Amino acid sequence: MKKAMSPVDLQHGLTADDLLAGRSEQNEETTLSSLTSAFREDGFVVFPRAISSDVVNTLQQRLEDVLRGKYDRGSPPDKTPALIVDSKKSGRRKLGPLGYDGKTTKYSRVLQIINIHKCDNEFQRLATQEAIGEMVARLSGWEHGARLAQDQVWAKPPGSSPLVFHRDSPYFMFTPDDVVTVWIALDDMDQELGPLEYVRGSHKWGDGRVGSSSSFFQSDSKNLLYSAAAREGIEDAESCLEIISLAGLSAGGLSIHHGKTWHGSGKNASNDRPRRGLGLHFVPAEVKFIKEDAKKSKLWRKYVAEEDTDGDSPTINVPDDDFPLVWTPQLEDTSL
């Protein structure tokens, strides 16, 4: 019997070869060439074994701390939900993961944190893993490397709602306009939890934007998707689209998807289990802000200095401190 490879512990260093080896253990194609072909054709690839259970457990605990306002890097994330407050009354038990008390649905809403890496060292180490940035750049053909634009935690307590199918690219005001997302499972993803789902090949559709961030929590999670499909001339989208679920992906597994790939997830139908995932949004190393778009964006305008907007150039450099370079090519041959 073939011995399974131990998942990689980030504290001991993750390499791009480790990601490929994790796929090999699942009898998947492992060459960079085959992965790149799949990424270009399908709009996503999956790495079932990437991060050790010890690291996942640490991240789960750190997420609970962040949700309670405990930051070990001295500053808060860019966005966080209302902080969870555990009861101090004698005899009252501490709230469970994501604030769920096991009895009511008071906290049963999707929780979003933006840029958790800014407040927590463990998440910062994961978000800036060189091997992940390298794999993103190589799959995408980014010659100059990869830069972290943003991270997002999407956490679903038991009973919380679906996330509407959407694309990532329209929310990023950069040139070049490429965006690639790494999604990391922090729980074992079975169908009941509402795992991530991809629409195969949808990154090839037209660029028209449908919806906005306020649309993420509509009751009909596929309404925007079907509208986009109709614009592509796809009839009977409900039966024609090939939707691939990541159900079965273990905690510590990850996927990498094109910024134009339509994706979403169902509700967490479990009565007692959380569903936690981390998205890392990468852009090419050489990106610049599109000045006029960034100035109007609630998400990006705080990174655009007033003096930077006065010149004639239509673009503005991004600050390295807020948008760190994660991987750039070395002089020697680093081909996989």
Side-chain angles (χ1 to χ4, degrees):
M1 178 180 293
K2 193 174 183 181
K3 185 178 179 181
M5 182 195 77
S6 298
V8 177
D9 187 331
L10 292 182
Q11 294 181 1
H12 297 158
L14 175 67
T15 71
D17 284 335
D18 291 324
L19 290 175
L20 295 179
R23 282 180 59 89
S24 180
E25 292 299 329
Q26 302 295 318
N27 297 316
E28 300 281 356
E29 289 287 343
T30 60
T31 66
L32 180 62
S33 177
S34 64
L35 281 174
T36 302
S37 295
F39 183 74
R40 291 175 178 172
E41 182 64 25
D42 298 337
F44 65 93
V45 291
V46 180
F47 296 84
R49 298 170 67 83
I51 301 169
S52 74
S53 58
D54 287 344
V55 171
V56 169
N57 291 339
T58 298
L59 293 170
Q60 290 174 348
Q61 183 54 59
R62 291 303 306 144
L63 174 57
E64 293 301 318
D65 289 342
V66 170
L67 287 170
R68 289 162 171 79
K70 301 175 183 177
Y71 313 132
D72 65 11
R73 298 196 71 199
S75 60
D78 285 348
K79 179 181 178 181
T80 187
L83 296 179
I84 295 171
V85 179
D86 293 311
S87 175
K88 296 181 179 179
K89 294 182 179 179
S90 177
R92 295 286 296 277
R93 64 176 180 171
K94 181 179 178 180
L95 293 172
L98 308 184
Y100 183 60
D101 65 4
K103 297 183 295 183
T104 74
T105 59
K106 180 178 180 181
Y107 291 99
S108 291
R109 65 189 189 282
V110 179
L111 307 178
Q112 181 192 27
I113 301 173
I114 295 180
N115 284 335
I116 193 172
H117 77 274
K118 293 184 177 181
C119 77
D120 185 83
N121 283 309
E122 292 296 331
F123 279 96
Q124 191 271 342
R125 176 159 41 190
L126 174 58
T128 57
Q129 273 289 308
E130 185 174 308
I132 294 177
E134 179 183 0
M135 185 60 71
V136 165
R138 294 193 180 281
L139 288 175
S140 307
W142 296 347
E143 295 181 357
H144 302 291
R147 185 184 295 272
L148 180 67
Q150 185 189 76
D151 72 56
Q152 293 192 56
V153 171
W154 291 100
K156 298 180 183 179
S160 54
S161 62
L163 284 179
V164 163
F165 276 74
H166 63 283
R167 281 173 157 175
D168 296 333
S169 291
Y171 303 97
F172 292 83
M173 311 301 182
F174 302 103
T175 182
D177 63 357
D178 294 344
V179 179
V180 170
T181 298
V182 176
W183 186 83
I184 301 169
L186 298 181
D187 290 289
D188 292 337
M189 292 291 151
D190 59 43
Q191 197 60 47
E192 185 180 45
L193 293 187
L196 189 63
E197 297 178 331
Y198 291 124
V199 182
R200 176 171 277 159
S202 58
H203 62 302
K204 301 176 183 178
W205 298 358
D207 290 338
R209 175 172 177 169
V210 180
S212 66
S213 58
S214 62
S215 305
F216 277 135
F217 306 104
Q218 292 181 2
S219 57
D220 186 348
S221 65
K222 293 185 174 71
N223 182 52
L224 297 179
L225 170 63
Y226 293 153
S227 296
R231 293 203 322 274
E232 289 296 307
I234 299 174
E235 299 181 1
D236 192 18
E238 292 188 43
S239 61
C240 291
L241 297 180
E242 188 175 2
I243 298 179
I244 307 299
S245 172
L246 295 192
L249 184 68
S250 297
L254 64 82
S255 61
I256 301 178
H257 67 258
H258 194 288
K260 293 181 180 178
T261 300
W262 282 83
H263 59 285
S265 60
K267 70 173 293 182
N268 182 354
S270 168
N271 292 323
D272 56 8
R273 292 183 295 150
R275 184 273 203 196
R276 294 161 286 195
L278 172 69
L280 307 175
H281 303 298
F282 290 94
V283 292
E286 71 274 21
V287 295
K288 296 178 182 290
F289 276 123
I290 301 172
K291 182 191 298 185
E292 292 305 316
D293 291 343
K295 285 168 59 177
K296 298 174 184 176
S297 168
K298 292 181 179 179
L299 190 61
W300 306 116
R301 63 190 178 198
K302 67 179 180 179
Y303 300 110
V304 179
E306 191 64 37
E307 57 270 20
D308 291 337
T309 65
D310 295 334
D312 295 330
S313 174
T315 61
I316 303 171
N317 291 331
V318 298
D320 288 336
D321 288 346
D322 292 303
F323 302 88
L325 282 170
V326 176
W327 180 80
T328 57
Q330 303 299 311
L331 293 176
E332 67 270 21
D333 180 14
T334 57
S335 58
L336 300 177

